Amino acid sequence: MIHANLSDRQDGSREQLWTRRLTEDTFEVACLPFFTYGICYRDVVAIDSDHLVTEVLRKSGHRTLRVALVVEHADRERVHELLHGKAVDTGLPHEWLRGTYLAVNLPPGADESSFVETLEPLAQAGALYWEIDS
């Protein structure tokens, strides 16, 4: 396991990334980053002696669709169930964190439009925030 430095958003904050070691200091990302921008599934990264990512050496072409549910929203549980069902129906690999954050892997060539059609009205209703990172 390695870490991505998130100090630009919160002092001392890091995200743990599951990886596959390629060489002593290069790793292939084997998870869906929830908070780290610019790093996606199967990207190859380099680390320093503290096991912190220093750079992305090779992009995989995968993208990450991230969703953050608004905890205080009255329909949060219903929205969670709806999005979980959507993720399962699309067959796209996905992970939940604390039932509030969703990361969906978008492999090269994946069409995210049906997911976005579900997300947009919910975002406009204040139930969630979403983005796609590459």
Side-chain angles (χ1 to χ4, degrees):
M1 261 185 281
I2 62 175
H3 293 92
N5 188 347
L6 303 177
S7 291
D8 59 334
R9 286 176 267 163
Q10 184 177 358
D11 251 1
S13 185
R14 297 176 175 187
E15 181 171 9
Q16 179 178 284
L17 301 174
W18 289 88
T19 58
R20 182 174 65 91
R21 182 183 290 256
L22 302 176
T23 69
E24 186 174 322
D25 62 351
T26 62
F27 294 80
E28 181 181 69
V29 176
C31 65
L32 305 178
F34 284 96
F35 305 108
T36 304
Y37 292 119
I39 297 176
C40 296
Y41 179 67
R42 303 208 60 200
D43 285 356
V44 175
V45 298
I47 63 165
D48 64 16
S49 60
D50 293 323
H51 294 269
L52 284 171
V53 173
T54 57
E55 66 180 309
V56 177
L57 300 173
R58 188 183 81 235
K59 296 295 292 175
S60 63
H62 289 250
R63 296 172 297 146
T64 305
L65 169 67
R66 293 189 183 101
V67 180
L69 302 184
V70 174
V71 175
E72 302 83 18
H73 196 275
D75 292 330
R76 184 176 66 83
E77 290 300 321
R78 184 188 65 78
V79 170
H80 178 277
E81 291 304 316
L82 174 71
L83 295 181
H84 184 76
K86 185 69 172 178
V88 170
D89 289 347
T90 64
L92 295 170
H94 61 282
E95 296 180 27
W96 282 95
L97 176 65
R98 289 176 270 189
T100 306
Y101 298 99
L102 170 64
V104 179
N105 180 46
L106 300 173
D111 180 11
E112 70 277 2
S113 61
S114 70
F115 223 116
V116 170
E117 288 171 8
T118 301
L119 294 172
E120 252 326 289
L122 295 168
Q124 290 173 4
L128 57 80
Y129 299 94
W130 70 274
E131 64 187 7
I132 295 176
D133 187 28
S134 56

